[in-house]
Amino acid sequence: MTRPPAADGNAAPAGPGQPFNTRVAGADDLIRLHLSESPYGAGKAALRAAERELARVNVYPDPERHDLVHALAAHWDVTPDHIAVANGSDELVLATALTLGDRTRPGLVTDGTFPGYRTCLDLTGRGCTAVPPAGTDVDVEAFAARLPGHGIGYLCNPHNPSGAAHTREELTALADAAARSGVPLVFDEAYMEFAGPDAPQTRDLLDGDAPLLALRTFSKAYGLAALRVGYAVGRPALIAVLRQTLRALPFSVNRLAQAAAVGALGEQDFLAGVRRSTAERRRWFTAELDRRGRAHLPSVTNFVAVAARDCALAQDRLATDHGILVRNAGLFGFPGYLRTSLGTQEDLVRFLDALDDIEKNP
């Protein structure tokens, strides 16, 4: 396949060694398996709600996100003081790094995961300590043991990019460590909707004394990635401080996003359908990987970590030669795997065929 054209018709994608992500010219026209986007789009009620707000784009959005906060509180069966809404999970990661815990002490993260935690801790001057993984798993015991002495902790659950989720026993052990030390512990649960409604999660532990916070997003399962809306569910004392920081950017959650998110919460049947379809696609894809003899990690999410011999080369050639964008997980400290979203079956077959071809003809 020839090198795919960019949006302007002449610029090429990023050169070798550069991450193929949203900075790639013409990325909208390529096969996008790199950002865990939903191939199912958003629900009709969410889209209609956003469209209605187009007539009022001259009016600032509600800086307190009142309707969405109350809709989320009802959804989670908590009081509104358990909820903070922001411009996607990324803004919440930065706001928590700016705000929570003892800011004279570094944060605690894990190696080989979403790099935003480390980036925000470094930018705010806190810095961080990284706990090495146990193989491809988060070392929960080591993380819990090291949490005291740090100012804040961040864990991705389900884990990005492995796709694994913590057990109830692991979550309880981590919450106990936060309770004993008083160190706020932030769980990034961006992919939790795909793990199913019975998966153990931070909400189950909020009635205790541990300083816990969960970050959620409407970008993944709800299909609202372009609108950028996320939220935190946590202990009211943490949420109150977090809200104060978010008030520095009072209009960061735009009018369309707030309305669409409220609409999306009312479409739980749509969400259930996305979950079912994703689980079916994941079963088919992992079976196809097994049939081809290609190793992969178990996942409860809408992506799978697929083993490859030279992930940097494979990522670049998939983009430049085949027009397929995936993530080399080595770029954020998880070498040996390509993280691929569970897109359409046709696109996933093209990805696997292209990867086989690249490894046969390096």
Side-chain angles (χ1 to χ4, degrees):
M1 179 175 177
T2 58
R3 182 182 295 249
D8 62 5
N10 51 47
Q18 298 182 44
F20 282 92
N21 51 36
T22 50
R23 289 178 292 171
V24 176
D28 283 359
D29 300 321
L30 305 183
I31 295 175
R32 297 172 60 90
L33 301 176
H34 61 319
L35 292 177
S36 306
E37 295 162 335
S38 172
Y40 307 107
K44 292 180 180 178
L47 294 175
R48 285 197 299 266
E51 289 169 356
R52 284 195 296 270
E53 295 305 314
L54 285 171
R56 295 195 287 174
V57 294
N58 59 311
V59 180
Y60 282 111
D62 175 9
E64 294 299 319
R65 296 84 149 148
H66 177 277
D67 290 350
L68 181 51
V69 166
H70 281 73
L72 285 163
H75 176 74
W76 287 107
D77 192 24
V78 296
T79 57
D81 59 356
H82 286 80
I83 304 290
V85 173
N87 185 277
S89 296
D90 294 320
E91 185 172 88
L92 287 164
V93 173
L94 179 58
T96 54
L98 284 165
T99 302
L100 300 183
D102 184 346
R103 287 176 286 175
T104 68
R105 294 181 173 185
L108 186 66
V109 300
T110 61
D111 275 330
T113 191
F114 175 65
Y117 320 133
R118 182 192 295 266
T119 299
C120 290
L121 288 165
D122 287 344
L123 285 173
T124 57
R126 297 176 75 155
C128 66
T129 303
V131 177
T136 58
D137 296 325
V138 171
D139 192 332
V140 171
E141 184 176 346
F143 193 97
R146 299 189 71 174
L147 188 61
H150 289 82
I152 190 171
Y154 291 89
L155 283 167
C156 193
N157 182 46
H159 184 261
N160 176 15
S162 77
H166 291 311
T167 65
R168 193 171 300 279
E169 291 74 20
E170 289 172 334
L171 275 185
T172 300
L174 291 163
D176 288 346
R180 289 192 303 269
S181 64
V183 177
L185 184 53
V186 179
F187 288 99
D188 183 350
E189 295 182 343
Y191 298 96
M192 187 59 77
E193 277 81 7
F194 298 107
D198 298 325
Q201 53 196 288
T202 308
R203 171 64 185 90
D204 303 336
L205 305 172
L206 290 184
D207 294 333
D209 297 327
L212 302 179
L213 201 68
L215 308 185
R216 292 289 188 117
T217 180
F218 285 89
S219 296
K220 307 302 183 186
Y222 287 101
L224 296 176
L227 291 182
R228 312 304 305 129
V229 57
Y231 62 97
V233 185
R235 301 280 294 168
L238 297 177
I239 292 293
V241 179
L242 183 58
R243 282 187 178 182
Q244 281 297 111
T245 298
L246 292 171
R247 288 189 179 104
L249 298 169
F251 304 118
S252 69
V253 187
N254 70 71
R255 178 176 289 278
L256 277 67
Q258 292 188 43
V262 172
L265 283 174
E267 295 184 288
Q268 292 303 303
D269 287 346
F270 173 80
L271 179 64
V274 170
R275 283 174 168 156
R276 286 193 301 270
S277 297
T278 301
E280 291 168 4
R281 185 69 43 78
R282 190 169 58 234
R283 284 191 293 270
W284 167 82
F285 184 59
T286 54
E288 180 65 13
L289 288 167
D290 292 339
R291 187 184 71 80
R292 294 177 184 235
R294 186 170 291 280
H296 58 91
L297 298 180
S299 174
V300 299
T301 69
N302 69 334
F303 60 80
V304 174
V306 178
R309 285 202 297 268
D310 186 337
C311 292
L313 173 67
Q315 175 193 252
D316 290 358
R317 286 195 54 195
L318 282 165
T320 56
D321 297 349
H322 299 273
I324 301 170
L325 299 177
V326 297
R327 273 291 174 88
N328 168 19
L331 291 169
F332 37 98
F334 201 90
Y337 294 90
L338 297 171
R339 189 197 69 189
T340 178
S341 310
L342 293 169
T344 68
Q345 185 167 328
E346 177 186 2
D347 286 347
L348 289 168
V349 168
R350 289 181 64 180
F351 158 66
L352 291 176
D353 288 345
L355 183 58
D356 288 345
D357 178 67
I358 288 168
E359 293 196 339
K360 289 175 184 174
N361 303 286

